[in-house]
Amino acid sequence: MSDAHNWQDDEGVQYHYPTKYRNKVLEGERFVYYRGVNRLNGKRGDAHYFGTGRIGSITQDPDPERQTGVKKAWFCQIENYERFPTDVPAKVDGILREQGPSNQFRDGVRVVDDETFESILEASGLAQGYAAPGNAVPQPENVFAKPAGNLLVPSKDNAGGGNSSPRHSRHAKVIGDWAEELALHIIQNIEGSTNHIHRAAIGEMPGWDLDYLDADGQLQRVEVKGTQAAAFRNIEITANELAAAKRHGNHYSLFLIAKCMSPSPSYQWVSNPAGFLDRHEWEVQPTAYRISFCM
């Protein structure tokens, strides 16, 4: 993954690539992200691997200029993305982890053997968890979080794809707790706000994670959603959260945080999410059902 190109990549959300990689980017395949030495503005850094996931659905780029020949391009969605707790250096004791031709790093997509792939995952610390000693996960109060214009990425096909932050991810609770702590830290610094309560931290589930009184004395309710990806393709909310959003309207917000567990997360407020559903700007789909057994 490069910092300097005009492809429409979103870390952990989608990968945009030329047709030369068509036979290497295959739905269902696992992958690791690699960042080379080149950075923006001519700067250089150490080459490393920084995350892993699985290739989701693949669609052709709809841009008319990318429909034929060597300009033909594709999008693949990224599923089950996990950012590494610690970047994995491309070299071990001066020797490249990926052995091959000297020009192999010219390609943005490469096939590695299973042993190399697993060694990268092992070195990442994912198996030990984000709280393990040696894993460099910053504390929410110490990161530089910046507001984003739009963290919502429409799906490029009708399948809907996977979740940007799957509820059943093995690290979902850790990521969610980290996002809530960051959101609380940001909200506490809103001028005139008081009575900040982290409901989720005290075991309460009213349909939101945090609430506070704004400068006008109005109770504002905030449901926090976090992802390690650079944006959200979709989110999951519970029936309780959806009901609360509809009931409280403009006094209910989603607080979306992307690039969780990193030193530079971004966030977006979405006020009155139920209004987007009412105006059919968003659509909601059931993803689970509860089955009861009748005698």
Side-chain angles (χ1 to χ4, degrees), residues 21-190:
Y21 300 140
R22 186 76 172 99
N23 294 325
K24 291 183 178 179
V25 180
L26 304 175
E27 186 170 351
E29 289 287 341
R30 296 189 300 165
F31 72 91
V32 290
Y33 271 128
Y34 170 85
R35 179 174 285 116
V37 298
N38 294 322
R39 302 290 188 270
L40 290 175
N41 302 319
K43 297 181 179 180
R44 293 173 67 84
D46 294 332
H48 59 270
Y49 306 91
F50 62 91
T52 185
R54 191 176 295 275
I55 303 298
S57 60
I58 298 172
T59 55
Q60 188 173 349
D61 188 334
D63 186 341
E65 294 186 1
R66 292 183 178 273
Q67 292 290 310
T68 59
V70 294
K71 292 186 176 181
K72 195 173 185 179
W74 306 81
F75 287 97
C76 73
Q77 295 190 344
I78 304 301
E79 310 288 357
N80 307 324
Y81 178 58
E82 296 178 299
R83 174 180 278 272
F84 291 159
T86 302
D87 290 340
V88 177
K91 292 182 178 181
V92 180
D93 298 327
I95 301 175
L96 288 168
R97 293 180 184 273
E98 291 183 64
Q99 295 295 302
S102 59
N103 64 353
Q104 66 176 333
F105 292 97
R106 293 188 306 181
D107 287 342
V109 178
R110 302 181 297 278
V111 177
V112 299
D113 59 75
D114 290 344
E115 182 178 354
T116 300
F117 187 91
E118 295 299 335
S119 73
I120 294 170
L121 294 186
E122 182 177 356
S124 74
L126 269 179
Q128 289 74 39
Y130 291 95
N135 284 348
V137 176
Q139 294 300 309
E141 63 270 19
N142 296 328
V143 302
F144 177 69
K146 58 183 180 181
N150 184 22
L151 294 177
L152 309 177
V153 179
S155 175
K156 293 190 178 295
D157 58 21
N158 295 324
N163 303 319
S164 292
S165 182
R167 185 174 300 278
H168 301 294
S169 163
R170 56 181 171 169
H171 301 300
K173 186 178 188 310
V174 174
I175 295 168
D177 290 347
W178 191 95
E180 289 173 16
E181 289 294 337
L182 176 57
L184 179 62
H185 179 70
I186 293 172
I187 290 170
Q188 286 173 333
N189 286 286
I190 296 176

Side-chain angles (χ1 to χ4, degrees), residues 15 75 103 194 252 261 268 272:
Y15 182 58
F75 287 97
N103 64 353
T194 59
Y252 187 104
M261 321 287 283
Q268 177 182 354
N272 190 12

